[in-house]
Amino acid sequence: MKKHYKIAVVGNPNSGKTCLFNGLTGASQHVGNYPGVTVEFISGMSDFHGEKVEITDLPGIYSMTAYSQEEIVSRDHILNQHPDLILNVVDASNLERNLYLTAQLVELNVPMVIALNMIDIADRKGIAIDCAVLSSIVGAEAVPTIASRKVGFDELKNVCLKAIRARKLPHPTEFPHELESVLPELEKAISGMKDIAGEPPARWVALKLLEDDQLVLEKISQSSEWENISKALQKAKHQIELHSHEDSPTAVAESRHAFAAGAIHAAIQMSENARLMLSDRIDRFVCNRFLGPIILCAIVYSLFIFVFQISREINWIPLFNGAWTSPTGLLELFFAGLNRFAGNVIALPWLKSLVCDGVISGVGSVMSFVPLIFFMFLFISALEDSGYIARVAFIMDRLLKLFGLQGKSILAMLISGGLGAGGCAVPGVMAARTLREEKDRLITILVAPFMNCGAKMPVYAMLIAAFFASAQGAMMFLLWMISWAFALGSAFVLRKTIIRGEQTPFVMELPVYHLPTLNGVLIDTWNRTYMYIKKAATVILAVNLILWTLMYYPRYDAKSLEDSIKTAGSIFINQAQHTPYAAIFTADELEHTVTFLKKYPIQLKKSPEGLPKIRQNFALELESYKHGGSTANEAVIKAYAVYHEKVTELSNQAAQQQLQHSFAGMAGTFMTPLTRMAGFEWKENIALIGGLAAKEVVLGTLGTAYAMGETADGDSSSISQQLAEDPGWSRIRAFAMMVFVMAYAPCLVTLVTIKKETGKWRWAIFSAVYSTVLAFIAAVLIYQIGSIF
């Protein structure tokens, strides 16, 4: 079998590395995790003019020094996986900063090609790059590219193949005399040692030792050659300090910076008329100390207004009957119709409840909010692609420091949903690994789950639609501010009490603004939405079915209510005698007639005869009576209305008693004396318990609980409508519920991730307990104070 080539894509964050990778591999990608760490990598196959190539997109890094997991796994991949080529993606408009990493990649002694990406932005800045000169300095071919438009890809593929086949290595970096004079002796001491995985070049190991790289030092200190190497290392360090008056790590770093500066001087010309970039002009306002936060709030508020307007408030989708509806309304109609259909065709009571209540009402409640999630992701993806997210980090940095968070914590907060919604706490917690100070990292991990992740959004949207329909965007904006208040307040308390320590400074690059690419935004939006749908169809469905079982069993003996229903039927049958409709209200026909009236007019025949004709006439007369019309048989019509209301009430009582006496109902009822302080009754308790698995389950379980707590009478209303019409619910109760869902224990997957990131279950348990206690206190205060007014 023909061996395929392997290429490792390496570059700084915001260099367009992932965009270039996506352009080369298309949809042929898979995601994996490096063994023992939480850093993800993406690999994909590509065709390079007939050659099959496996490309791996390594994490974005600024150096190969072992400070973060991203840096460690990037260099370990190159050393251990032995790629045939390093594709070094550099931002042509920030070349000097990018070339610092290039200088380190050269030391790995692997064939390399440089992709001078975003060359169009460099041109607009007035930067002219002589690719031939740069190539000769580095010893690696430099190819201009514009990854967002796939410009230069054909030439890049040709150059990569040429470098792989020729095994062309880049030029060794020439360091100043004080370094070059000590490296040979140190390399000689290291040569032939096989104790480091990947067998890296001796020159690279020597430089790592001079940099005081802890991982390399730990590896070599276990070698039988350590005594000789240690003597050579101490001698080299002494000579460097003697000649340069600097310690060896500083000397090595400054030498690399000098290499990058020299390459820039030789290969770049700046236009005298280089104009102030549009990004700089925008940042005068966006990053302003006073205007920046105002603009951020305006963008987030606009996000919520846009999402609610387009997904559920504006009816812009036509229906077959000439009416119009919203995307959310369309899905609600679909699941309502599906529920009626399943209820009509399934005869077994337990199977009907399983399908209608457990599956359709539960999962359908979550799936109805797919449009809202889609447009939320669309908006946020466009902001990410534009370069604005980095500005949010800059704007929030000063505020985070006041509350004891490190500036880099903002990245974890944004990924968790800090921009408004649409994020996820799992990658947010994982993103905290970029913080070097352990205490900063721990605080960030503990407060990131307070952000409004995409899983909480459907719960908010359902309750807001039910009780705050006239101010949906404003309510979501308020919840966004409350989530930040929880996070910052908790960070401040943790920093002052449990996790004391100094904060480390934060430095990050502000990428150039650019228009989001439609294709990239849509792909990213669809991928995130698909994960939401997949979760609803798998995890949420599984949890819902388990909860349905706990809500359906054990069966409760409601014989007294069933007897009352029979008695009400007998009374009505007697009242219907001696009327034109007596034939359809006999003991044998009453149930068929009631079923027909529930489905009217959907299954009404055009020209029925016999009993169907009588049922049709009664349905028409009943409909006329409901709308204030006159009727010749008012007595029987009124009697039927009384009978139907009585039976519906008794049936709902039976369903409520069955649900309340189920396993789940008993658990929810047991908690009610405590949770009633926050306005939560036993049904909400069931849903909140389910939400420990995944926050979307709160919505699905409420849908199931309210469906099982009432007997369907043909009105398949949404869960929002059911709660709005429930006399036990109020605005203050709904608000307390939303705040509690926002802050209480992170979902199970997040807790497992916290354990992996901290290495201890006690921090995961602490996160669940302290956040739940805090959420309950907040909900109690909201409900109790709100109930006074």
Side-chain angles (χ1 to χ4, degrees):
M1 184 176 179
K2 184 179 178 181
K3 176 184 177 294
H4 62 259
Y5 294 126
K6 295 189 293 184
I7 294 178
V9 181
V10 187
N12 287 181
N14 302 312
S15 63
K17 177 176 60 68
T18 300
C19 186
L20 184 139
F21 169 79
N22 289 337
L24 291 174
T25 60
S28 174
Q29 300 177 9
H30 68 272
V31 180
N33 269 81
Y34 292 97
V37 296
T38 54
V39 180
E40 287 186 343
F41 69 90
I42 304 177
S43 291
M45 300 303 297
S46 183
D47 181 86
F48 277 34
H49 303 301
E51 291 284 359
K52 193 175 182 182
V53 177
E54 180 184 5
I55 306 176
T56 301
D57 182 22
L58 297 177
I61 54 175
Y62 289 105
S63 75
M64 298 293 284
T65 307
Y67 286 135
S68 68
Q69 288 188 5
E70 290 94 335
E71 294 165 345
I72 294 169
V73 300
S74 293
R75 79 182 196 186
D76 285 354
H77 178 90
I78 296 170
L79 293 172
N80 300 331
Q81 300 302 317
H82 306 292
D84 298 292
L85 179 83
I86 294 174
L87 180 55
N88 178 208
V89 183
V90 303
D91 178 358
S93 65
N94 289 291
L95 197 55
E96 184 171 352
R97 185 211 2 106
N98 282 245
L99 286 179
Y100 182 81
L101 175 61
T102 303
Q104 292 180 293
L105 294 175
V106 164
E107 297 159 9
L108 291 168
N109 213 31
V110 176
M112 186 167 71
V113 169
I114 298 173
L116 284 170
N117 197 34
M118 296 189 274
I119 196 72
D120 54 334
I121 296 175
D123 290 339
R124 292 202 300 272
K125 279 187 172 183
I127 301 173
I129 302 174
D130 191 325
C131 295
V133 172
L134 182 62
S135 298
S136 65
I137 293 172
V138 180
E141 197 77 21
V143 181
T145 62
I146 306 174
S148 60
R149 303 204 300 267
K150 296 187 179 181
V151 174
F153 276 30
D154 284 340
E155 183 184 357
L156 184 65
K157 291 179 180 180
N158 284 327
V159 170
C160 287
L161 287 176
K162 182 180 176 182
I164 291 173
R165 290 165 178 163
R167 289 293 300 167
K168 181 183 177 183
L169 300 178
H171 301 322
T173 305
E174 292 187 13
F175 291 111
H177 173 72
E178 60 266 23
L179 282 176
E180 290 292 351
S181 63
V182 302
L183 281 172
E185 186 175 348
L186 189 54
E187 288 178 48
K188 184 179 179 181
I190 293 168
S191 295
M193 191 187 68
K194 307 294 184 182
D195 293 350
I196 298 183
E199 300 180 18
R203 184 179 175 87
W204 180 84
V205 177
L207 287 167
K208 290 292 131 187
L209 291 175
L210 290 174
E211 286 183 281
D212 292 339
D213 187 295
Q214 291 303 311
L215 292 182
V216 175
L217 280 168
E218 288 175 11
K219 291 280 186 180
I220 294 188
S221 64
Q222 300 169 12
S223 168
S224 58
E225 304 292 327
W226 170 240
E227 187 175 349
N228 292 332
I229 295 172
S230 178
K231 289 180 180 179
L233 177 61
Q234 295 307 316
K235 180 180 178 181
K237 280 175 167 286
H238 178 71
Q239 285 185 248
I240 291 171
E241 290 176 9
L242 190 65
H243 285 88
S244 65
H245 305 291
E246 292 176 337
D247 58 25
S248 59
T250 303
V252 172
E254 288 188 351
S255 298
R256 293 196 184 111
H257 281 298
F259 163 80
I264 292 296
H265 180 75
I268 282 185
Q269 287 187 341
M270 294 289 294
S271 168
E272 293 182 4
N273 299 320
R275 56 189 173 82
L276 182 66
M277 287 289 293
L278 177 62
S279 293
D280 299 322
R281 295 205 299 270
I282 295 174
D283 282 341
R284 287 179 178 177
F285 301 97
V286 170
C287 296
N288 181 274
R289 177 178 297 187
F290 302 106
L291 288 178
I294 296 173
I295 294 172
L296 171 61
C297 290
I299 288 174
V300 173
Y301 185 75
S302 300
L303 183 155
F304 294 132
I305 294 294
F306 166 79
V307 168
F308 277 104
Q309 289 280 341
I310 201 71
S311 64
R312 68 177 306 131
E313 292 185 17
I314 300 176
N315 296 327
W316 53 276
I317 297 178
L319 298 175
F320 292 110
N321 60 2
W324 293 74
T325 189
S326 65
T328 302
L330 182 64
L331 284 177
E332 288 176 350
L333 287 173
F334 170 76
F335 284 107
L338 189 62
N339 205 323
R340 283 194 297 268
F341 173 78
N344 291 334
V345 299
I346 300 175
L348 290 175
W350 70 268
L351 183 58
K352 179 185 290 188
S353 178
L354 172 64
V355 174
C356 295
D357 304 330
V359 177
I360 299 176
S361 293
V363 177
S365 297
V366 178
M367 291 293 289
S368 295
F369 290 93
V370 166
L372 185 140
I373 293 296
F374 175 86
F375 288 113
M376 180 68 72
F377 288 153
L378 183 72
F379 198 115
I380 292 176
S381 180
L383 288 177
E384 290 174 347
D385 205 21
S386 70
Y388 179 70
I389 299 300
R391 274 75 184 176
V392 176
F394 179 82
I395 294 164
M396 296 294 293
D397 177 44
R398 188 179 294 106
L399 179 64
L400 269 85
K401 287 179 181 177
L402 293 176
F403 288 91
L405 284 170
Q406 203 253 63
K408 252 188 179 178
S409 301
I410 187 65
L411 302 176
M413 313 285 268
L414 293 177
I415 292 170
S416 299
L419 191 61
C424 178
V426 173
V429 168
M430 292 166 61
R433 60 178 176 255
T434 59
L435 279 71
R436 297 178 182 178
E437 170 59 43
E438 181 63 26
K439 292 182 179 180
D440 289 339
R441 194 169 73 90
L442 185 56
I443 292 177
T444 303
I445 286 172
L446 293 175
V447 302
F450 284 120
M451 297 293 98
N452 286 330
C453 66
K456 300 172 186 175
M457 272 295 294
V459 183
Y460 297 160
M462 180 271 293
L463 291 170
I464 289 173
F467 299 99
F468 306 95
S470 60
Q472 299 190 64
M475 278 303 303
M476 273 303 304
F477 182 72
L478 176 60
L479 291 172
W480 172 67
M481 291 195 295
I482 292 174
S483 71
W484 275 101
F486 271 123
L488 296 178
S490 297
F492 183 81
V493 173
L494 289 172
R495 176 67 75 177
K496 297 295 182 182
T497 56
I498 300 173
I499 310 171
R500 299 171 182 267
E502 294 183 3
Q503 298 164 244
T504 53
F506 171 55
V507 179
M508 82 170 293
E509 172 201 3
L510 295 183
V512 176
Y513 286 108
H514 58 271
L515 287 175
T517 58
L518 180 61
N519 186 54
V521 169
L522 290 177
I523 289 175
D524 184 59
T525 301
W526 166 245
N527 287 339
R528 296 186 188 188
T529 306
Y530 173 74
M531 292 304 296
Y532 176 85
I533 296 172
K534 183 179 178 181
K535 193 175 183 182
T538 53
V539 176
I540 296 171
L541 175 60
V543 175
N544 257 26
L545 291 179
I546 293 172
L547 290 172
W548 172 87
T549 303
L550 296 176
M551 285 188 274
Y552 192 80
Y553 295 104
R555 300 308 293 166
Y556 175 71
D557 184 7
K559 189 174 184 304
S560 60
L561 290 172
E562 292 171 359
D563 290 342
S564 297
I565 291 173
K566 291 179 182 178
T567 301
S570 300
I571 293 172
F572 172 65
I573 289 172
N574 289 332
Q575 292 174 322
Q577 298 303 309
H578 311 297
T579 72
Y581 300 116
I584 61 171
F585 290 125
T586 63
D588 294 331
E589 295 295 333
L590 177 60
E591 185 176 349
H592 297 298
T593 302
V594 172
T595 302
F596 171 82
L597 294 173
K598 286 180 182 180
K599 294 184 286 186
Y600 175 84
I602 295 173
Q603 296 185 0
L604 190 64
K605 304 297 182 183
K606 289 184 178 179
S607 302
E609 297 295 337
L611 293 180
K613 179 65 174 178
I614 299 174
R615 289 194 180 101
Q616 174 183 316
N617 292 338
F618 185 81
L620 292 170
E621 198 166 352
L622 178 63
E623 194 70 18
S624 174
Y625 175 76
K626 287 180 180 179
H627 291 86
S630 59
T631 172
N633 299 282
E634 186 173 337
V636 70
I637 294 290
K638 285 184 176 180
Y640 178 80
V642 172
Y643 161 73
H644 183 267
E645 183 179 350
K646 181 68 174 177
V647 169
T648 300
E649 180 184 347
L650 293 170
S651 298
N652 286 340
Q653 286 181 25
Q656 286 278 344
Q657 289 187 16
Q658 166 57 46
L659 180 58
Q660 196 162 7
H661 287 82
S662 66
F663 293 121
M666 286 186 281
T669 303
F670 175 78
M671 298 167 60
T672 301
L674 177 65
T675 61
R676 191 170 281 152
M677 296 169 61
F680 308 152
E681 297 296 333
W682 57 277
K683 287 184 183 179
E684 290 81 74
N685 292 343
I686 297 172
L688 292 170
I689 293 171
L692 295 173
K695 289 296 184 286
E696 300 98 328
V697 174
V698 173
L699 178 58
T701 308
L702 276 177
T704 300
Y706 275 85
M708 294 179 70
E710 295 181 8
T711 300
D713 60 355
D715 179 18
S716 301
S717 55
S718 68
I719 181 64
S720 290
Q721 187 177 341
Q722 291 183 56
L723 295 186
E725 296 172 352
D726 190 321
W729 275 84
S730 64
R731 284 190 169 190
I732 196 65
R733 181 177 172 186
F735 187 57
M737 179 80 166
M738 288 189 287
V739 171
F740 185 84
V741 169
M742 174 195 298
Y744 89 113
C747 67
L748 183 60
V749 180
T750 302
L751 291 176
V752 172
T753 306
I754 291 174
K755 187 269 175 186
K756 287 182 179 179
E757 291 293 318
T758 61
K760 298 173 182 176
W761 272 113
R762 66 186 177 96
W763 286 118
I765 295 170
F766 174 77
S767 174
V769 172
Y770 100 91
S771 58
T772 302
V773 171
L774 179 61
F776 184 70
I777 292 172
V780 169
L781 290 174
I782 291 169
Y783 184 73
Q784 294 298 329
I785 295 174
S787 298
I788 296 173
F789 300 99

